[in-house]
């Protein structure tokens, strides 16, 4: 069965950094587009970053461009999100998600992802 398990969340001060990890299992990891999404209380789920199967192509939300970096290690079935220069508005539950196939869209339609992790909380204080 497909399983996605996030880790690395926590509480940090504004301007700080965190690295989120997602351990994937139950499928051929290298064959799927992967992404990170987040959801804050009272807000819609929103896309953060997407990465192609090889890892050479990445797409970011405007709100995190230049601050966050998505990466993957296909040998270890792992997905990462390096977050720097964190802002209070980055506070949310962050979810790892698997795309429906190898292709990544240049956007964050949640319908393009069909497996999700349990989420990890990120809290950024001012």
């Amino acid at each position: 069965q497909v399983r996605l398990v996030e880790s690395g969340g926590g509480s940090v001060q504004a301007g700080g950094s965190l690295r989120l990890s997602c351990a994937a299992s139950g499928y051929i990891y290298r064959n799927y587009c992967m992404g990170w999404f987040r959801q804050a209380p009272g807000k819609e789920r929103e896309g953060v970053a997407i990465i192609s199967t090889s890892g050479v192509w990445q797409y970011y939300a405007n709100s995190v461009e230049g601050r966050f970096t998505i990466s993957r290690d296909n040998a270890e079935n792992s997905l990462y999100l390096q977050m720097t220069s964190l802002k209070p508005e980055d506070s949310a539950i962050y979810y790892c998600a698997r795309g429906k196939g190898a292709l990544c869209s240049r956007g964050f339609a949640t319908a393009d992802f069909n497996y999700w992790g349990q989420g990890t909380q990120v809290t950024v204080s001012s």
Side-chain angles (χ1 to χ4, degrees):
Q1 73 282 8
V2 175
R3 188 182 181 200
L4 303 171
V5 181
E6 301 95 336
S7 61
S11 298
V12 297
Q13 297 181 60
S17 300
L18 283 174
R19 189 182 79 149
L20 306 183
S21 298
C22 173
S25 61
Y27 67 101
I28 304 175
Y29 178 73
R30 68 180 184 275
N31 289 351
Y32 290 86
C33 173
M34 298 292 296
W36 287 98
F37 290 74
R38 67 187 182 186
Q39 187 166 24
K43 296 187 66 178
E44 299 290 329
R45 179 175 49 186
E46 63 177 358
V48 176
I50 297 171
I51 190 167
S52 64
T53 54
S54 68
V56 302
W57 183 89
Q58 303 123 43
Y59 182 69
Y60 298 91
N62 290 336
S63 59
V64 308
E65 180 73 56
R67 299 188 297 119
F68 291 10
T69 302
I70 188 171
S71 61
R72 65 192 295 163
D73 185 339
N74 286 340
E76 296 294 330
N77 292 173
S78 297
L79 180 72
Y80 304 99
L81 185 68
Q82 179 66 51
M83 306 185 294
T84 62
S85 301
L86 284 162
K87 306 174 181 179
E89 50 263 47
D90 293 320
S91 296
I93 299 175
Y94 283 71
Y95 299 92
C96 171
R98 193 197 84 171
K100 291 182 177 180
L103 298 179
C104 292
S105 61
R106 199 167 183 268
F108 296 106
T110 57
D112 292 337
F113 297 83
N114 58 355
Y115 288 95
W116 302 81
Q118 85 288 352
T120 186
Q121 178 71 51
V122 172
T123 302
V124 184
S125 62
S126 59

